[in-house]
Structures are given as C-alpha cells and as structure tokens.
Amino acid sequence: MSRYRYGVIDYVGDDVGVRGREEWTLSVAEDGTRTLRAHCRMWDTEIERDVVHTASAEFRPLRSFISHRVGGEFLGEGWFVFGAETLESELLLGGTRRSQRVALTTPPPFFVPHAVCCDAWIVPSYDVAAGGSQRLSGGFRSSPRPNGATGPYAEEMSDITATLLGEETITVPAGTFLTWHFLLTSDGGAREDLWTSRDGDWLMVRLRSDRLSSTYELTELREEADRGRGE
C-alpha cells in the first residue's frame, strides 16, 4: 500500500502577512512512483488552483493535471503526459479544447505546475556529489508567470541554475528539519532560496522569493500511521 503524508504551506507576504495557503498530500507507491495533490488559494489575487502531479521513483514527471480559477471564474485546465520522446497535453483554455505536442530529445527532469509543494521537485536532478552551480535544462512549466495565472500550457524552462549552499537545520511552524539549501536563478536573474527536506521525499520546507516579496513555509506536516494490510 502507498505511504501517505499531508502538509500545509502558508504564503506569507512581507507587508500583508498570510496571503494564501496550500494544502497537499503525498502518496508514495511501493514501486517509488509518487503523487502530490495540492489545492492552492491566493486570497490577494483571487487565484485558486488544483494540481495532481505524478513523478517516477527518480522524480521525473510522468503525468500532471492542473485546473485554475481566477476571481471565481474558470480560467482553464490541462492534462500533461511526459514520454521519452514526446510531451502531450489536452487543454481547455477559454472554453476551447486544444492539444499540444512537444518533441523531446530526453525525458524532462522536472515540470513546474505552480503548486509550491511541487517546486521542490526541480532539484532532485541536481548532482549533490558534484556540487557547485549546475544548469538544470530540459524542464518545463505550465505558465511563465510567477503565480502561474495563465494557461495552463507547457513551456520549456531554458534558463534555470541551481547552486547548493549546504546543509541547514531550520525551524518552521511545522517543526525542525534537516534540509538542503539551494539558490535557484532563472528568467534573466530572478532568484529564489529553496530549502528541501533530506528524508528522501524532497519536501518543500521553505521558499523565499524576493521577486514576489513572499516567504512560503511548511506550517503543518502529518504522517499516516501504518495500519497494516487488510485481509
């Protein structure tokens, strides 16, 4: 049976306090395939998003579903499937059905569906043993906007660099965690500090974005007790 975790992330603006919240669940199957399900709400911009994102045991994206609402109105949704040679998606944008096909030279190392919990799954492709600054190429995102409020539509991220700043033990409302601290730079110089758990699940513990004047922190984490197998 799948292993299960539940968490909450608060979006905290520098001047406005808590401006949004994200509830997520993680299920990890016996073969290592894992699925993040997230419901995201940004009260200041009235954006609401549902995400179901599945990755392989190596954290490569397999499938992703995204649905958006803005100001209470349906914006769009899409289903993305990642193969070895093709990224395929079926989209509903502005009430119009569309299909997208993208030829791939290699399976994408990550996909950003703009649930904050999924941002941590950018860095499993980083070579920790090598260290330093590494270009993470071949990944995709569902929207070019930092808040993800377009589309969804798959777009390649051609300019993202990760630098491991080291191991850090940090305390957030959900508790104290041993983390990897990464610096991510992208989109012509945008910078984000990302702290991920070191427990094998690469959970988003903290994310700091100066561009958005916001800090995203894990405020709750629960584990499902092992109930054993039913007869």
Side-chain angles (χ1 to χ4, degrees), residues 5-187:
R5 308 179 88 176
Y6 165 88
V8 178
I9 296 169
D10 274 357
Y11 307 173
V12 183
D14 291 350
D15 299 323
V16 299
V18 178
R19 47 175 289 266
R21 181 163 292 143
E22 177 173 309
E23 294 182 74
W24 58 261
T25 64
L26 169 66
S27 57
V28 183
E30 291 175 323
D31 65 356
T33 302
R34 57 196 66 224
T35 298
L36 275 169
R37 302 166 183 84
H39 180 67
C40 319
R41 292 170 290 168
M42 285 159 270
W43 300 309
D44 54 346
T45 53
E46 297 187 296
I47 297 169
E48 190 168 7
R49 178 178 302 113
D50 289 286
V51 172
V52 181
H53 183 62
T54 300
S56 69
E58 295 76 29
F59 291 88
R60 288 189 178 273
L62 299 176
R63 299 172 296 280
S64 199
F65 173 80
I66 306 162
S67 184
H68 292 305
R69 299 184 72 85
V70 179
E73 300 292 330
F74 176 72
L75 174 66
E77 63 188 24
W79 181 53
F80 303 83
V81 179
F82 301 86
E85 299 179 348
T86 308
L87 187 167
E88 302 180 74
S89 62
E90 294 297 326
L91 312 167
L92 182 59
L93 304 174
T96 302
R97 281 283 305 272
R98 298 181 61 180
S99 297
Q100 184 183 17
R101 302 290 184 274
V102 180
L104 303 174
T105 56
T106 185
F110 62 86
F111 179 63
V112 178
H114 285 285
V116 175
C117 62
C118 297
D119 288 357
W121 286 5
I122 294 173
V123 290
S125 59
Y126 180 93
D127 185 346
V128 172
S133 295
Q134 299 177 22
R135 181 78 171 269
L136 306 182
S137 59
F140 284 79
R141 60 187 173 187
S142 63
S143 170
R145 292 189 182 177
N147 63 9
T150 59
Y153 192 86
E155 174 185 87
E156 187 169 4
M157 297 183 70
S158 57
D159 181 22
I160 183 167
T161 299
T163 304
L164 179 60
L165 300 183
E167 298 179 16
E168 291 184 18
T169 298
I170 66 170
T171 299
V172 294
T176 299
F177 297 85
L178 178 62
T179 68
W180 291 120
H181 179 188
F182 289 92
L183 173 66
L184 303 180
T185 58
S186 61
D187 293 337

Side-chain angles (χ1 to χ4, degrees), residues 115-124 194-196 201-205:
V116 175
C117 62
C118 297
D119 288 357
W121 286 5
I122 294 173
V123 290
L194 171 67
W195 290 261
T196 68
D201 283 334
W202 294 87
L203 300 182
M204 202 294 296
V205 178

